[in-house]
Amino acid sequence: MKFALAGLSYLITAFALIFLTVRVRQLIALYKKQQPDPTRSNNQSARFKNMLTEVLGHTKMLNFTATGIAHWFVMIGFGALFGTLITAYGQVVNPDFALPLIGHFVGYELFAELIAALTGVGIVTLIGIRQVTRLRKRNRFSGSNMGKAYYIEATILGIVFCVIALRGLEGALANEESWNWHYAISWPAVLAFNSMSVASLESAIVIVATLKIVISMAWFIVIASDFTMGIAWHRFLAFFNIYYKRNIDQPALGALPEMLSKGKPVNFEDPAEDDVFGLGTRGDISWKGLLDMTSCTECGRCQSQCPAWHTDKPLSPKLLIMAMRDHAMSKVVETENIVGENAPISLDVLWSCTSCGACVEECPVDIEHVDHIVNMRRFQVLVESEFPTELGGTFRNLEKAGNPWGANKADRESWIAECDFPVRVVSGELPEEVEYLFWVGCAGAYEDRAKKTTKAVAELLHMAGVNFAVLGKRETCTGDPARRSGNEFLYQILSQENIATFNETFGDRSKGKKKVVVTCPHCFTTIGRDYAQSGFELEMLHHTQLLNNLIKEGRLKPSPHKSDKKLTYHDPCYLGRHNQIYAPPRELLEASGCDVEEMPRNKERSFCCGGGGGRMWMEEKLGTRINLNRVDEAIDTGAQEVAVACPFCRIMVGDGMVARQSDVEVLDVAQILLRSVKASE
């Protein structure tokens, strides 16, 4: 029997390793076949350092603390127990076999037992979390392939059982009579097997060692048979996916990636006939995109934070990535569309995204969901001309009037007439004495509620003695609504127009003096980060940052008295997740005498207002309204005021309060500060 089991062990191992090698080569060939992306190989040492930090530190996983800790031990066990597998190969031939040098070293034996035990506790914890989570109707595991997950969990449990059982059998065979550090954790198993004869113990060791090898090799065979089994493949691919992510030490948020065709930016002034415009078919997916999809663990952390999913819309970032993966790995024609009727992804799914970035922020393997969604939108807009009807009007307004509302360009300065203090408008080069250019933005110039923020910021800058100026009618839309909606061609036109204006305005000023302050996080992101792709950079400040600095410098003096109104603060997605600006607005509110009552979902887990990704100009026809979900959370805090730091949020949260017939007032943080400063005079 011993030789038969040894033969089985070595035979299945040979088959598993050969089969896995063949399949890995096939997978690599698939990656190489996809669209090139040369932007992923810069700064290799920084990438490697970040990858180790994320993986070993479990920085993303620990956002879900209990899950993260349990998963860390399971991950460590995968590699740390490799020595026990090698030992098993020796034990199927010789039950007394131990690794040379370290096999009977107490440190190694204790380490192996401890890791096995903690891996077992970890996987049982993860199984329990999965089952409890699934009790909720719409949960992060909805739509995941549970059979594959159960198989992986059973495999890990089986290996842990074999490790502990083998340790117990080894102790009994060594005739151990009292507890010692060599068998510190497996001692109960040693006691259980002590009554067996030597022959029986030897036979049991061979059987359990064979079982351990068969379980391990069967796992390799199963995953090699299925490239869509991300819950297993991520053990190998996560390292590479994190290493090659777009932003080396941050999630793929902020600026959108350039539109590449065959690895090079598309020249919109003279595009090639065979240029690839966005992502429409399997052949358009980049190698990094395919790596994203095959790395997906189906854990649903993205889904658990998605505003579209939480408001009963058809979009789940997890299911979208799974659908793209299954399509890419299927035998469909390479030119068959990914999006559309009878395609893996419907138009309703594609256009439900607000580009809030919650999915990207949460993903433990750094999948770039928003980039893929925008690339698919680019194809639909530029190639298929298939997009929500409302966006047609928005695009025309941006082309003709330079703003998404279609308002008269001459009215961009109308808010200035409502100010009782001077506001400087520059028509040529910015005078040297002007410290900041105040970029007002479309909402800040035209939308009544956002204009209040504009005037409050301007008045505070005036009160602080800051020499600032505005461009007035020389401003045009930054291109954010166009770019996030997929109209990259229109974005390029708008951005180049603004860059030309900036170049004329700042002239020969040194880079460090090109300071621009904005009230809109979308303008902040587009000008400050997207425009850098065109080689243009400015020193950008959000108004909460500048005003907070002015308070610290003593140039603005809020009232020392506490506010008598309870207040909560809503983190804008494009200020928070996309730019990691959380402290300045809160510090500013605190300096204004406000005690902020945080909503349950705040900072990096703030819930979207529903206005990003071009959704501000689209009707919300599916599910329930995102802004109402957020408004209900704000109302539940008992706050009398909601502070915001984004004109889109101001509009969406304000409309939500009206819909709920609530008397909770929505104010920008600048208005709250202005109220406090005036109260101190």
Side-chain angles (χ1 to χ4, degrees), residues 18 30 46 58 76 177 202 424 513 621 634 638 652:
I18 292 171
L30 285 174
H58 254 42
I76 292 298
E177 296 181 351
E202 290 179 342
R424 188 172 190 170
K513 290 186 177 180
K621 301 172 183 177
M652 299 301 288

Side-chain angles (χ1 to χ4, degrees), residues 116-149:
L118 290 173
T119 299
V121 171
I123 196 63
V124 169
T125 301
L126 293 179
I127 292 171
I129 290 172
R130 180 183 294 272
Q131 299 313 313
V132 170
T133 302
R134 290 189 65 208
L135 295 176
R136 295 193 292 271
K137 184 178 179 181
R138 286 177 72 84
N139 61 77
R140 66 184 178 94
F141 293 116
S142 297
S144 297
N145 192 312
M146 302 307 291
K148 293 179 180 179

Side-chain angles (χ1 to χ4, degrees), residues 351 381 387-396 481 485 614-615 617-618:
W351 294 103
V381 172
F387 47 84
T389 306
E390 312 94 278
L391 282 181
T394 303
F395 294 154
R396 286 190 295 272
S485 300
R615 290 294 323 173
W617 295 276
M618 290 182 252

